[in-house]
Structures are given as C-alpha cells and as structure tokens.
Amino acid sequence: DAGVIQSPRHEVTEMGQEVTLRCKPISGHNSLFWYRQTMMRGLELLIYFNNNVPIDDSGMPEDRFSAKMPNASFSTLKIQPSEPRDSAVYFCASSPLGPSNQPQHFGDGTRLSIL
Amino acid sequence: GESVEQHPSTLSVQEGDSAVIKCTYSDSASNYFPWYKQELGKRPQLIIDIRSNVGEKKDQRIAVTLNKTAKHFSLHITETQPEDSAVYFCAASKNYGGSQGNLIFGKGTKLSVKP
C-alpha cells in the first residue's frame, strides 16, 4: 500500500502567485481531508469530501482557498492569490467510508512558504 | 462549536516512567477518539483509537481510557523510551448524516523522554 501521496513536498513561492497542492488518497478510501498545521493554530481541518462530494468546507479560511475532488483518486487544494500568512504545512488524509468513523491516514504533507 | 482541550502542552519524563495525557471534548455526540503521534518534520501517525462503546483499550505499552459521562479520555504510555519523544494529538469525531464525520484535534502535547 503506497499510502496517501502528496505533491509537492516543498513549495516556495512569492506572494500573489497561485499555489496548487495535490493529493492521491489510499485506493479504496472514499473520505478525503485537507488539514493545515501551524505552530500557532495547530492542526486545522480545511475541508473534507465523502465520495468526492464536499461535506464541510467551513474551515476554508477565505475565498482565496478552493478544493476539488474530480474523482476518487485525486484532489487539489488551490490558493490564489497566495499570501505570507498562508505559509504552513498542508496535510491530506484519507479513510474508508462507513457508518462509523474510520481511522484517518495522513500523507507526508506539503511545506508551503510564501515570501 | 465543537472543541477538544488537551493537557499538558509539554511533558518531560525519565526513561522508564509512565506518561499520561488528558483530553476533554465538548460534543456529547462524539463517538470516536483516535490518538496520533507526530515526530518532528513527519506526518501524524495513528497509534491507538477507541470508540464510545468501550471504556478502555490497550496495545502493548499504550492504553487509552474513555469516560463518556465526564467527556474525558486519556492516553497512558508505560515504560517510556526515548523513541516515544514526539508530539501527541488527541481527537474526537462524531458521525455526520449517518456517515463519516471530521476530526476535531487537540493542540498537542510535546513529550520528552530523557535517557
């Protein structure tokens, strides 16, 4: 099992640029979660999908953030335009979907630095 | 809104001693409580979880207890080793519409095990 795969692992870009983060969930997992981690705010849920449908996007900080899941094996998180305060580690996680909550498995994260 | 409080924020123990981390959740409908270990620069990794129909669960040196009435759950690590040094996160989740819900994370506990 390859686990959750995120790309890129590191991204450094200038303020105002568009940033796209990518995630491939574990095969067979139908729930996908995007988190942001900073020292100040800890682990925050941004958005999650069940069966490719966004369920809760209340954690998305602003309209500059958007997420899509066009199919069961791929999701993107886009920031446009990016700002220095968006600098953080962004994690994607996936889990099986069932009537009861299932363990979430995290990817290695994308370390984003906005200059 | 839903919240999870975690204490202490830092914990230092001698190798061989026990470590206890405590969490309190706000939503009485929460029914799933995982614990994650995150080493520096790495992804959070699930180490143990417990569901609301169980009061205690053990896996070798790690145990978790749940008190639904008080809305408390705790992680116990016995015979600590230097490799247990990491940040530990508790989380709580409930079902959403009969299916998977999102995790609410505590702020984390930085555990240091001194040789």
Side-chain angles (χ1 to χ4, degrees):
Chain A
D1 191 338
V4 176
I5 299 173
Q6 291 187 246
S7 64
R9 290 294 312 278
H10 303 273
E11 175 89 12
V12 180
T13 192
E14 292 189 345
M15 183 175 73
Q17 297 297 307
E18 178 179 290
V19 173
T20 299
L21 311 182
R22 297 173 174 80
C23 177
K24 176 179 169 56
I26 293 172
S27 178
H29 283 192
N30 291 328
S31 287
L32 184 140
F33 305 80
W34 282 102
Y35 292 92
R36 179 172 66 177
Q37 187 175 38
T38 61
M39 287 296 293
M40 290 295 294
R41 301 174 68 90
L43 262 172
E44 302 175 279
L45 177 72
L46 300 177
I47 185 172
Y48 79 99
F49 298 83
N50 284 348
N51 288 326
N52 312 337
V53 176
I55 302 300
D56 184 355
D57 65 355
S58 61
M60 297 285 263
E62 300 170 36
D63 291 345
R64 299 184 296 106
F65 286 69
S66 62
K68 293 182 179 179
M69 192 163 186
N71 57 62
S73 59
F74 184 66
S75 178
T76 59
L77 177 68
K78 189 172 291 188
I79 308 173
Q80 167 63 20
S82 58
E83 296 183 4
R85 61 194 168 118
D86 302 331
S87 298
V89 180
Y90 291 80
F91 286 103
C92 176
S94 72
S95 75
L97 181 61
S100 62
N101 290 298
Q102 303 297 318
Q104 293 183 23
H105 300 267
F106 283 74
D108 288 330
T110 295
R111 185 173 296 275
L112 178 64
S113 297
I114 308 296
L115 307 177
Chain B
E2 303 160 36
S3 66
V4 174
E5 298 293 325
Q6 183 171 348
H7 299 281
S9 57
T10 60
L11 180 59
S12 181
V13 300
Q14 287 294 132
E15 182 177 359
D17 288 350
S18 295
V20 180
I21 302 171
K22 299 181 180 181
C23 290
T24 304
Y25 59 98
S26 63
D27 191 337
S28 57
S30 296
N31 58 9
Y32 175 65
F33 308 92
W35 286 87
Y36 286 83
K37 174 184 180 182
Q38 187 177 27
E39 296 176 3
L40 189 62
K42 301 284 184 66
R43 61 187 166 95
Q45 289 193 288
L46 180 74
I47 54 171
I48 195 167
D49 58 8
I50 191 168
R51 298 185 186 275
S52 57
N53 59 345
V54 175
E56 183 173 357
K57 185 176 179 181
K58 194 172 182 179
D59 182 3
Q60 299 183 338
R61 297 187 297 108
I62 295 173
V64 57
T65 58
L66 172 65
N67 182 330
K68 286 178 57 180
T69 303
K71 294 189 283 187
H72 287 168
F73 58 113
S74 300
L75 177 72
H76 304 253
I77 306 174
T78 59
E79 300 172 28
T80 54
Q81 301 167 4
E83 51 265 38
D84 294 330
S85 297
V87 178
Y88 291 80
F89 293 94
C90 64
S93 179
K94 64 181 180 182
N95 287 52
Y96 176 88
S99 186
Q100 179 92 308
N102 59 292
L103 288 174
I104 307 297
F105 281 89
K107 293 296 187 187
T109 296
K110 183 176 182 180
L111 174 64
S112 299
V113 180
K114 299 180 187 295

